[in-house]
Amino acid sequence: MHTVKPSILTKRWVVILLASLCATLWGSAYPSIKLGYELFGVGADDTAAKLAFAGLRFTLAGLLVLVFRSLQRGPKMAIRSLTARSSLQILLLGLLQTTIHYYFFYVGVSYTTGAKSSILNSSSVFFSAVLAHLVYSNDHISLRKGLGILLGFVSVILVNIEPNLSLTFRLQGEGFVVIAAFLTSLCALYSKRISAKVDPVLLTALQLFSGGFILLMIALGMGASMPRSGFWGYALLLYMAALSATAFTLWTALLKHNKVSSITVFNFLIPVVGTLLSALVLGESILRLQYLLALPVVVLGIVLVTYSSSKEPV
């Protein structure tokens, strides 16, 4: 009898190493975006320039993954492996996960702090739990998972409460980051479905490139010019493209070969890394009461949600 050799991506030490790397890279994106706005001279209210910056980043990220995939298996094989249905699914994923998602994300991050953004964006884990309950018949919300979801949304409230008990939640800032988190959850389910039939590396390359290119064209149509900067600005842009290429490729592959819960638990690292790096790189003060309360709450909520169910769909 022919047996299928288990993927190395199912080995526990490999999962821990790669998922932690992805979470760390994504956490570093929060201060990188805000630093990029400074280096490229993006104005606080210049939405078109923000979208151009994002579009160029993800177009480059898609090209990096596509070059890697072509060197790995050849460009013709990459194209021939796709059906018309798969191509349309990838285009839709690119529109949702890159074009629309990063419109909300890049605009939202520009109107709030990097530390707060990283905590708010962690609500994607809790949105994922709710969506999985609605989509999968064998993934009900247990008492523990429900508590985790509740803690997650409590952290969203806590991080927006100032010491004088006033709320700082703005739709175009914190609201857009939460909308982006919801889109992340929605796209993760859709990406997992597509990756069952499409090579994860090719899927990542095409959705990043198509979504990023559309975003760039929209920005140029709004009057933005191609992003320009000095050496350090372009170096940062290349780093951001490379982190997206690496993290999305590895994450998509890990989701294909493992239970969703065993991978998404590592999302707890994102707000931790994002908050710490925002302090180190941007000089943001993270010793604020709302951050000190919200960060451990969101981490506990993520752990409860991702470890609560042994019947997470594969």
Side-chain angles (χ1 to χ4, degrees), residues 202-252:
L202 182 60
L203 171 61
T204 301
L206 295 180
Q207 76 88 5
L208 283 173
F209 177 78
S210 61
F213 185 75
I214 293 171
L215 192 58
L216 181 59
M217 291 301 101
I218 291 174
L220 296 178
M222 292 172 62
S225 59
M226 286 294 290
R228 295 180 181 179
S229 182
F231 172 78
W232 291 112
Y234 291 122
L236 178 65
L237 180 64
L238 182 60
Y239 166 73
M240 295 176 70
L243 83 83
S244 295
T246 303
F248 273 108
T249 300
L250 293 176
W251 197 261
T252 303

Side-chain angles (χ1 to χ4, degrees), residues 1-303:
M1 180 182 293
H2 176 72
T3 58
V4 179
K5 185 179 179 180
S7 171
I8 191 174
L9 294 177
T10 61
K11 294 184 178 297
R12 188 59 183 165
W13 69 270
V14 175
V15 170
I16 293 173
L17 178 65
L18 295 184
S20 297
L21 174 61
C22 291
T24 301
L25 288 172
W26 276 322
S28 73
Y30 296 92
S32 295
I33 291 171
K34 299 188 76 67
L35 183 59
Y37 287 158
E38 294 181 16
L39 293 174
F40 281 86
V42 177
D45 296 317
D46 194 346
T47 300
K50 295 171 188 176
L51 300 185
F53 182 54
L56 183 57
R57 171 194 172 186
F58 293 110
T59 301
L60 289 175
L63 286 175
L64 287 176
V65 183
L66 192 59
V67 168
F68 170 76
R69 177 60 166 72
S70 297
L71 292 175
Q72 185 183 42
R73 300 189 182 182
K76 291 184 178 180
M77 288 182 64
I79 296 173
R80 290 175 180 174
S81 65
L82 293 176
T83 63
R85 177 180 174 82
S86 295
S87 298
L88 289 174
Q89 288 177 322
I90 292 172
L91 179 60
L92 178 58
L93 181 64
L95 283 169
L96 289 173
Q97 186 161 286
T98 301
T99 306
I100 300 175
H101 165 256
Y102 281 106
Y103 162 77
F104 285 107
F105 187 76
Y106 266 67
V107 174
V109 167
S110 69
Y111 287 106
T112 186
T113 66
K116 183 183 285 189
S117 297
S118 64
I119 295 173
L120 287 172
N121 201 51
S122 297
S123 58
S124 63
V125 178
F126 312 110
F127 285 129
S128 293
V130 175
L131 289 174
H133 172 77
L134 297 174
V135 172
Y136 299 109
S137 60
N138 62 344
D139 189 38
H140 297 294
I141 295 178
S142 64
L143 179 61
R144 185 183 299 176
K145 181 177 288 189
L147 177 60
I149 294 172
L150 178 61
L151 288 175
F153 291 109
V154 166
S155 70
V156 172
I157 297 173
L158 287 175
V159 80
N160 287 290
I161 297 179
E162 297 293 337
N164 61 4
L165 300 182
S166 64
L167 287 173
T168 58
F169 191 90
R170 295 164 296 179
L171 176 62
Q172 198 172 18
E174 292 83 359
F176 274 24
V177 175
V178 173
I179 292 173
F182 174 76
L183 289 171
T184 296
S185 306
L186 188 66
C187 292
L189 295 176
Y190 191 47
S191 177
K192 182 174 178 61
R193 177 180 177 181
I194 301 174
S195 66
K197 296 183 179 180
V198 178
D199 171 52
V201 179
L202 182 60
L203 171 61
T204 301
L206 295 180
Q207 76 88 5
L208 283 173
F209 177 78
S210 61
F213 185 75
I214 293 171
L215 192 58
L216 181 59
M217 291 301 101
I218 291 174
L220 296 178
M222 292 172 62
S225 59
M226 286 294 290
R228 295 180 181 179
S229 182
F231 172 78
W232 291 112
Y234 291 122
L236 178 65
L237 180 64
L238 182 60
Y239 166 73
M240 295 176 70
L243 83 83
S244 295
T246 303
F248 273 108
T249 300
L250 293 176
W251 197 261
T252 303
L254 288 170
L255 284 175
K256 179 176 182 177
H257 294 284
N258 297 273
K259 291 182 178 180
V260 173
S261 60
S262 67
I263 304 303
T264 56
V265 67
F266 292 91
N267 279 319
F268 83 88
L269 289 173
I270 298 177
V272 176
V273 173
T275 300
L276 293 177
L277 288 181
S278 292
L280 292 174
V281 177
L282 303 175
E284 292 182 0
S285 174
I286 60 173
L287 298 178
R288 298 181 180 181
L289 181 60
Q290 62 265 48
Y291 293 175
L292 297 177
L293 290 175
L295 191 57
V297 170
V298 74
V299 170
L300 177 59
I302 291 171
V303 173

